[in-house]
Amino acid sequence: MTFGNTKTGKTGTSTSEATETAQIKSVESLDKGNDMERGLKNRHVQFIAIGGTIGTGLFLGSGKSIALTGPSIILVYIGVGLIMFLLMRAIGEMMYSDPSQHTFINFITRYLGRGWGKFAGWTYWIVLILTGMTEITAVSTYFVTFFGTFGIDLNAWKWLIELCFLVALTGINLIAVKVFGEAEFWFSMIKITLIVGLIVTAVVMLFLGFSYPATHIEGVDGTVSGATVSLTNITDGFQLAPNGWMNFFMSFQMVFFAYQLIEFVGVTVSETQNPRKVLPKAVNELIMRILIFYVGALVAIMAIVPWRNFHQNADGSFGSPFIMVFKYAGLDWAAALVFFVVITAAASALNSLIYSAGRHLYQLAQDSESPAMQRLGEVSDHKVPAKAIIVSGCMILFSPLVNAIPGVSGAFVLFASAASAVVIFIYILTMLAHRRYRQSADFLPDGFVMPAWQVCDWIAIAFYVFVYVTLFLSADTRGFRHRRPAVARRVRRLLPAARAIPEPRFESGSREVDVLPVAAVCVACACCATCRAFDERGPVETLRKCAFPPTLVV
């Protein structure tokens, strides 16, 4: 299949001209170059969209976000959710016009040029691989933690756990796309069940006027004060920025990265049955999912646990609000329950990353002029890009090896962090591509049209620029202490964003150096409650409870 499947529109054509010339082409005619099987049903896509919205950050990281800015974090989740909805409407409109495309990145190529498209395609694939490497490490760590609650120590077998999970999930992706969809359906169902259980528990406690005494919670230092379940725990003394405006603004970047990869549903369109009916429904219901699964969960948590009861532990971590709530409800095995669901969430994320990475590498191979690369652009008898999936899986398999080599591990941390920040640029390019699409002859006035696009596109772009700027303002994302000066110097030469950074400052009598601001954010900062918040008060201690050891243990 050559890129586009349809001819590229003239980006200089006005919207009024596009209205007169654009016609909706049938999916069948567009699919002449699509070798994939449309095996994903409506329920698969709907739950894939839900699963893409819910990550491990909600289960483990929401305690940190609540502590950062209190009840106003609800407004932040709503605000950022609306911006991500604009991104999804832009992707949805373009995918609706040509549902044979395997990725929304293709529209960057079509409307902004081949150079930008190649940059976005390769960069996004690298981001998926690096994120997959952190996810496989997270899966094994959560797996070890889960069995640790029963007194079973599996630390020596982490490498085998990672290998087994990766082989199993890669196998799911190789069998057939409908098997992948079925797996994601049940992964999402487990996550939804826990969230709904939390909300129902809060409602029951609220009506009963439930009170609980001071309790020791797993993962929380000391004893958490007792309280009475009430909505006044949210409203009493409400302030928009109770811990200062800087913390309030920093919460936007944390929430943004919690929503990252929400665009995954846009990669499934070329393999979805009746895409022009299913896609608009999946995108439009995004707001409802955010209100229920994020806002509803946060309201339930803070109604049960007063937000001032969330404190940073001595090692920099925060307790899981889900564990706290279910512990108060009388479930002594709350930690095991939550970590089981967290394993599911991380496995779901890894499963989706393998799927997405395979499709993006397949598309890159299709567009490549290299004979070697073109071999990856082939579809197996099961109608999946098997070679691209296997290569992507093998790249993720390097994670255990990378973690075992201290010097390489340190460089990997910075590159993985920088990759997360690069996603911001891809989102900006996507919005710019949408603007070009609306001005082109390809525009479908009877399609899945995004309202007020002239304003909404610029609002989204401005927000992404704002998030990028905040990466330089927060101590969490300006840098960390690292024990390998040589790695720090190499990374400075390799990262364009770090070219203006001064040489690292060696401390007297210490092997530590300061790695100063880079345009990056640690991938764990947005999704893990045990992530250390690096501050300006001095050196930080080893992250004994970090969810990504030894990658982030510095």
Side-chain angles (χ1 to χ4, degrees):
M1 182 186 74
T2 57
F3 167 76
N5 296 337
T6 58
K7 65 179 181 179
T8 302
K10 297 177 181 179
T11 57
T13 306
S14 68
T15 303
S16 60
E17 289 176 315
T19 302
E20 295 175 358
T21 60
Q23 294 180 350
I24 297 180
K25 296 182 179 180
S26 68
V27 175
E28 291 75 16
S29 66
L30 293 170
D31 268 353
K32 289 179 180 179
N34 182 11
D35 297 325
M36 303 287 195
E37 178 188 10
R38 291 195 176 274
L40 295 176
K41 299 179 181 179
N42 177 56
R43 66 182 179 91
H44 293 147
V45 176
Q46 301 305 326
F47 275 77
I48 286 172
I50 293 172
T53 310
I54 306 170
T56 56
L58 179 61
F59 303 111
L60 293 180
S62 50
K64 180 178 179 179
S65 60
I66 292 172
L68 192 65
T69 189
S72 63
I73 194 67
I74 296 173
L75 302 178
V76 176
Y77 268 97
I78 294 174
V80 178
L82 289 172
I83 298 296
M84 300 309 288
F85 175 68
L86 297 180
L87 173 70
M88 289 307 301
R89 282 301 301 257
I91 292 175
E93 181 175 358
M94 292 186 290
M95 294 300 295
Y96 185 97
S97 69
D98 188 355
S100 68
Q101 298 303 314
H102 304 302
T103 167
F104 65 94
I105 299 292
N106 285 352
F107 295 102
I108 295 177
T109 304
R110 181 179 295 186
Y111 298 113
L112 299 184
R114 193 170 186 83
W116 284 115
K118 185 175 291 188
F119 162 79
W122 280 108
T123 301
Y124 196 74
W125 181 75
I126 292 171
V127 168
L128 293 172
I129 296 301
L130 292 175
T131 307
M133 293 172 75
T134 61
E135 286 293 346
I136 191 63
T137 307
V139 168
S140 63
T141 302
Y142 297 146
F143 196 85
V144 169
T145 303
F146 172 73
F147 279 94
T149 61
F150 299 103
I152 303 173
D153 185 6
L154 296 178
N155 273 293
W157 300 99
K158 283 188 66 177
W159 66 271
L160 183 59
I161 295 170
E162 293 180 11
L163 180 62
C164 289
F165 265 96
L166 187 59
V167 169
L169 295 175
T170 302
I172 287 174
N173 276 272
L174 290 174
I175 296 172
V177 69
K178 61 184 177 182
V179 175
F180 163 79
E182 203 65 36
E184 280 303 298
F185 175 84
W186 290 106
F187 279 148
S188 297
M189 184 68 77
I190 293 172
K191 292 187 283 187
I192 291 169
T193 300
L194 183 68
I195 296 172
V196 172
L198 172 82
I199 296 173
V200 170
T201 300
V203 171
V204 172
M205 286 180 163
L206 195 61
F207 276 105
L208 294 177
F210 187 85
S211 297
Y212 54 87
T215 310
H216 172 69
I217 306 293
E218 292 89 342
V220 179
D221 292 348
T223 301
V224 181
S225 303
T228 298
V229 178
S230 172
L231 291 176
T232 58
N233 291 334
I234 301 174
T235 58
D236 281 356
F238 175 83
Q239 290 180 294
L240 194 61
N243 295 324
W245 286 104
M246 183 60 72
N247 279 338
F248 177 72
F249 289 130
M250 291 308 102
S251 68
F252 281 89
Q253 62 168 260
M254 182 182 297
V255 173
F256 168 78
F257 284 105
Y259 281 126
Q260 189 173 322
L261 300 182
I262 197 174
E263 72 278 5
F264 171 67
V265 70
V267 184
T268 65
V269 177
S270 66
E271 296 172 88
T272 299
Q273 297 176 7
N274 199 4
R276 283 183 172 149
K277 179 180 179 182
V278 173
L279 178 63
K281 183 179 180 182
V283 172
N284 284 334
E285 290 181 356
L286 178 65
I287 291 296
M288 189 58 64
R289 294 187 211 110
I290 291 171
L291 290 176
I292 295 175
F293 299 118
Y294 275 100
V295 177
L298 289 171
V299 170
I301 289 168
M302 286 186 281
I304 297 173
V305 186
W307 71 272
R308 292 179 179 83
N309 286 0
F310 290 95
H311 300 291
Q312 189 178 46
N313 294 327
D315 64 356
S317 65
F318 288 82
S320 166
F322 280 74
I323 294 177
M324 298 172 76
V325 168
F326 288 118
K327 182 76 171 181
Y328 293 142
L331 297 180
D332 292 332
W333 38 274
L337 172 67
V338 172
F339 271 101
F340 169 75
V341 176
V342 166
I343 291 171
T344 302
S348 173
L350 180 60
N351 192 33
S352 298
L353 286 164
I354 294 172
Y355 174 95
S356 186
R359 269 62 182 178
H360 280 87
L361 184 58
Y362 169 81
Q363 184 63 61
L364 289 167
Q366 289 271 302
D367 296 339
S368 175
E369 297 177 358
S370 166
M373 269 294 296
Q374 287 175 357
R375 293 193 187 99
L376 299 178
E378 299 174 357
V379 173
S380 70
D381 294 338
H382 296 279
K383 300 297 182 181
V384 297
K387 293 181 180 178
I389 291 172
I390 292 172
V391 170
S392 297
C394 289
M395 294 297 294
I396 294 174
L397 191 59
F398 279 109
S399 179
L401 178 62
V402 169
N403 289 338
I405 306 174
V408 176
S409 175
F412 165 70
V413 172
L414 283 182
F415 283 116
S417 301
S420 295
V422 170
V423 172
I424 298 174
F425 287 101
I426 294 177
Y427 288 169
I428 292 175
L429 290 174
T430 301
M431 300 309 296
L432 292 174
H434 177 254
R435 292 187 64 81
R436 289 287 184 88
Y437 161 76
R438 289 300 297 261
Q439 296 167 351
S440 75
D442 295 338
F443 169 59
L444 298 178
D446 296 326
F448 183 41
V449 178
M450 177 180 177
W453 64 275
Q454 297 97 328
V455 176
C456 292
D457 283 350
W458 285 120
I459 290 175
I461 291 171
F463 173 78
Y464 296 138
V465 172
F466 162 74
V467 171
Y468 186 79
V469 171
T470 63
L471 300 183
F472 294 92
L473 303 179
S474 170
D476 284 34
T477 54
R478 284 201 310 226
F480 59 88
R481 318 280 294 183
H482 199 275
R483 300 182 183 276
R484 297 278 179 170
V487 172
R489 287 192 292 270
R490 287 197 298 270
V491 170
R492 286 185 66 258
R493 289 194 293 268
L494 292 170
L495 286 177
R499 286 174 180 167
I501 299 174
E503 287 293 333
R505 300 192 304 272
F506 289 84
E507 293 186 0
S508 176
S510 172
R511 296 175 61 215
E512 293 184 330
V513 298
D514 283 341
V515 180
L516 297 179
V518 294
V521 58
C522 170
V523 289
C525 291
C527 64
C528 175
T530 56
C531 175
R532 181 65 167 99
F534 302 107
D535 54 45
E536 298 175 354
R537 292 174 294 180
V540 297
E541 297 181 357
T542 299
L543 312 185
R544 298 181 184 274
K545 296 183 179 180
C546 181
F548 297 88
T551 300
L552 295 178
V553 176
V554 296

